[in-house]
Amino acid sequence: MSIFVQSLSSEWLKRKRTAGAWLVVIGGFFIPALILFARVYESGGLAEANRNPRLWEIQYDRCWQFMGFFLLPIGVILATSLVTQLEFRNNTWKQLHTTPQPLRVIFFAKLTVVLVMLIQWFVLFNIGIYLTGVLPCLFFRHVPWPSESFPLRLFWEGSWKFFLDALPIVALQYLVSLQWKNFLAPLGIGFGLYVASVVAVHWRYGYWVPYTYCYYEFLGKRSPVREPIHGWAIGYFVLFTVVAYILYISKKEKG
Amino acid sequence: MITYSLETFNLSHRYAGRQQALDNVGLRVPQGSIYGFLGPNGAGKTTTLRLLLGLLRKQEGQIHFFGKPFEKHRTDMLRRVGSLIETPSVYGHLSATENLLVYQKICRCPRQRIDEVLGATGLGNTNRKKAGHFSLGMKQRLALSIALLNDPKLLILDEPTNGLDPAGIIAMRELLQSLNWRLGITIILSSHLLSEVDKVATHVGVISKGRIVFQGTISELRQLSSGDLEETFIQLTEK
């Protein structure tokens, strides 16, 4: 266990100052920043909006509207590929594979870093949504503090569901990024599958496509699918992770 | 009795669709030696070194580090080995210290080792400069620092003077000799430059077309050459 923690700490350090790390910060705050800008721009109705007991529900829906079906899947595709491809870009696989740690530790430490970054994304996003509600009160005297307290539990439950929905994307992007040296390959496959998922989402068997679950989550009760999408998402995640691991350890050339 | 830091037995390798890259290679690297692994370009030096470190999947033969089979004791053996294979492997977005921190966490060596190896390779004053902005020679020295970080008993260096200027080559040579003399580190040094190996090596292995054509001490090679070392090298590798 301790070697895993050390490996994880090492992998976490590697993502420092990378595009993937910045993407998480920017991606997490991007939509809330736009919503905040829109609220401030239309500051006339701000006081009324903040008195509304459904303020947080409205902010949640507005933010997730863009995040759920577009920015989250695209961000996950990009961030997973960027983090995983770090070794190819720096030509460091050969050095990493000669460090005294089992290959399975390297594999799972890298995957854990991607998952932690995804959690980080959700944390920042939720902080961002909170700020869309409270920041205007600090800048405009006439705007009251939101009448309802922040429904933390509901927000985390929502984020948790989207987290589960994003897992197949993480695992498949991880698999592809470990196999191809060319950065365009995982990106091409990721974007291709995302487009396929947008097309397939209204098909009755759309849930077979592993990139559709964020979209279904976003549709909520309007979703045409009644299947247990979280079960499918976890199933795909396990399947892709196992395949990625087998392909990784059986590679003939390791850098 | 000679103790070997590294031995290979009948090591053979063939890349898919290509001719035999290695044919029954039997290396014997005595403990405490500087072993010059010589051969022309494409002779099989890098393939051998990559097999030794597990970067290529072994097809035939045995590899023993410190008398133990590598496959069964991979992690333990890698704890005692430092390596630099071909071009330097460094994270361009991190500083030299951060690059070493990445490996220090895995090797679990004391934090002060980072300053020691940076000082030893002359990179002590690079501060926060990112490794991506280093010259090739600096990257090569940083890669050597990484190889030295876990206080190895055996160093495997593939063409470590590539990209270094003449002063850098001399400094690298002096550093390797000092590591060998002061700390007793066994060093395997691959090169296609006989003159380079001749200046530092105590033992030599010559590989040509995937086969070992000479292995012994540097004085044995000199005796064989009756004066002209280069001529002998060419004869050996053209056999």
Side-chain angles (χ1 to χ4, degrees):
Chain A
M1 191 62 192
S2 79
I3 181 72
F4 178 76
V5 174
Q6 277 141 3
S7 185
L8 184 60
S9 161
S10 165
E11 291 295 336
W12 189 253
L13 175 60
K14 281 181 204 171
R15 52 150 274 296
K16 190 177 173 182
R17 289 195 292 269
T18 59
W22 282 113
L23 185 74
V24 168
V25 177
I26 295 166
F29 281 126
F30 183 66
I31 299 289
L34 285 183
I35 300 288
L36 179 66
F37 177 77
R39 291 196 82 207
V40 171
Y41 188 73
E42 298 160 355
S43 59
L46 264 177
E48 184 66 25
N50 268 28
R51 278 191 211 101
N52 188 340
R54 290 183 61 238
L55 169 76
W56 295 119
E57 193 186 324
I58 292 165
Q59 292 308 96
Y60 179 92
D61 283 345
R62 286 177 82 186
C63 288
W64 273 111
Q65 185 180 356
F66 301 104
M67 178 63 90
F69 82 94
F70 178 69
L71 209 61
L72 179 63
I74 296 294
V76 171
I77 290 167
L78 274 171
T80 310
S81 307
L82 282 166
V83 169
T84 315
Q85 287 265 320
L86 198 70
E87 309 294 350
F88 281 122
R89 256 199 328 280
N90 290 292
N91 192 22
T92 41
W93 273 122
K94 59 179 192 271
Q95 198 67 46
L96 183 61
H97 283 142
T98 54
T99 51
Q101 55 180 337
L103 296 176
R104 64 174 182 281
V105 169
I106 298 173
F107 178 89
F108 285 106
K110 278 195 178 297
L111 180 59
T112 307
V113 163
V114 177
L115 293 174
V116 173
M117 285 172 72
L118 185 56
I119 293 169
Q120 196 184 14
W121 172 300
F122 284 117
V123 171
L124 296 177
F125 182 62
N126 281 301
I127 292 172
I129 299 175
Y130 177 71
L131 294 177
T132 61
V134 299
L135 274 187
C137 320
L138 306 177
F139 296 116
F140 300 100
R141 280 185 160 195
H142 71 283
V143 179
W145 200 256
S147 58
E148 292 294 307
S149 60
F150 187 70
L152 194 62
R153 194 174 162 189
L154 278 177
F155 272 52
W156 286 126
E157 277 175 8
S159 296
W160 170 244
K161 285 177 186 169
F162 275 105
F163 176 78
L164 293 178
D165 300 328
L167 287 179
I169 309 179
V170 170
L172 191 56
Q173 289 303 132
Y174 189 59
L175 184 161
V176 174
S177 302
L178 285 174
Q179 292 303 312
W180 274 280
K181 195 174 181 177
N182 188 340
F183 181 60
L184 291 177
L187 277 195
I189 291 170
F191 289 141
L193 276 167
Y194 172 72
V195 172
S197 75
V198 173
V199 173
V201 82
H202 294 292
W203 178 43
R204 35 187 301 219
Y205 298 112
Y207 58 89
W208 287 359
V209 182
Y211 285 35
T212 52
Y213 307 128
C214 291
Y215 200 96
Y216 287 135
E217 196 70 57
F218 159 69
L219 289 176
K221 288 176 183 165
R222 290 171 290 143
S223 168
V225 164
R226 292 288 164 261
E227 295 296 318
I229 56 166
H230 297 136
W232 276 85
I234 292 168
Y236 267 128
F237 174 69
V238 172
L239 174 71
F240 293 150
T241 304
V242 169
V243 173
Y245 181 66
I246 292 168
L247 290 176
Y248 171 71
I249 56 164
S250 50
K251 259 187 163 185
K252 285 181 185 168
E253 293 195 31
K254 293 188 166 61
Chain B
M1 189 183 144
I2 302 174
T3 311
Y4 295 104
S5 293
L6 170 75
E7 288 175 281
T8 68
F9 306 95
N10 304 321
L11 200 57
S12 298
H13 192 83
R14 181 191 289 274
Y15 290 103
R18 284 188 260 169
Q19 64 180 50
Q20 194 83 15
L22 296 182
D23 187 7
N24 285 318
V25 168
L27 290 183
R28 286 190 306 277
V29 180
Q31 191 176 326
S33 64
I34 298 183
Y35 186 99
F37 192 34
L38 274 169
N41 289 329
K45 299 187 296 294
T46 301
T47 301
T48 307
L49 300 186
R50 283 158 61 85
L51 275 166
L52 295 181
L53 293 162
L55 294 174
L56 273 181
R57 197 195 299 164
K58 186 164 66 68
Q59 294 168 348
E60 270 183 75
Q62 296 294 321
I63 299 165
H64 284 198
F65 280 100
F66 313 107
K68 289 180 180 174
F70 177 67
E71 277 171 315
K72 282 187 183 166
H73 302 87
R74 180 184 169 274
T75 311
D76 284 344
M77 293 303 113
L78 289 177
R79 215 179 290 287
R80 300 161 73 182
V81 173
S83 64
L84 192 171
I85 301 294
E86 293 179 303
T87 50
S89 292
V90 295
Y91 297 100
H93 60 289
L94 300 178
S95 69
T97 304
E98 287 168 338
N99 263 282
L100 288 159
L101 261 175
V102 164
Y103 295 100
Q104 182 260 340
K105 287 172 187 293
I106 299 168
C107 299
R108 288 180 273 183
C109 53
R111 178 76 163 75
Q112 74 208 43
R113 270 299 287 166
I114 292 176
D115 295 330
E116 285 172 18
V117 293
L118 283 177
T121 52
L123 291 174
N125 56 355
T126 52
N127 301 323
R128 297 174 71 180
K129 186 176 179 180
K130 290 179 187 172
H133 298 147
F134 284 9
S135 68
L136 182 57
M138 286 170 81
K139 284 181 185 167
Q140 196 79 347
R141 281 186 279 152
L142 177 55
L144 184 64
S145 307
I146 293 168
L148 290 172
L149 187 67
N150 60 342
D151 207 1
K153 301 289 169 271
L154 172 65
L155 258 183
I156 298 177
L157 308 174
D158 188 13
E159 314 254 4
T161 53
N162 268 0
L164 297 183
D165 55 24
I169 292 173
I170 293 168
M172 175 72 83
R173 194 188 305 147
E174 286 172 354
L175 175 65
L176 295 181
Q177 282 176 326
S178 131
L179 290 168
N180 179 252
W181 294 340
R182 277 194 309 115
L183 306 172
I185 299 175
T186 308
I187 299 170
I188 300 174
L189 177 73
S190 96
S191 180
H192 59 274
L193 300 172
L194 177 65
S195 58
E196 195 49 50
V197 167
D198 184 34
K199 288 190 179 86
V200 289
T202 57
H203 293 71
V204 178
V206 180
I207 189 169
S208 174
K209 295 169 191 150
R211 304 181 77 163
I212 294 290
V213 290
F214 175 85
Q215 187 163 228
T217 62
I218 191 85
S219 42
E220 283 169 349
L221 183 65
R222 285 201 188 106
Q223 278 170 13
L224 195 71
S225 70
S226 60
D228 194 342
L229 216 52
E230 254 175 46
E231 185 67 30
T232 310
F233 176 65
I234 290 166
Q235 281 172 5
L236 282 169
T237 53
E238 284 182 350
K239 259 183 191 173

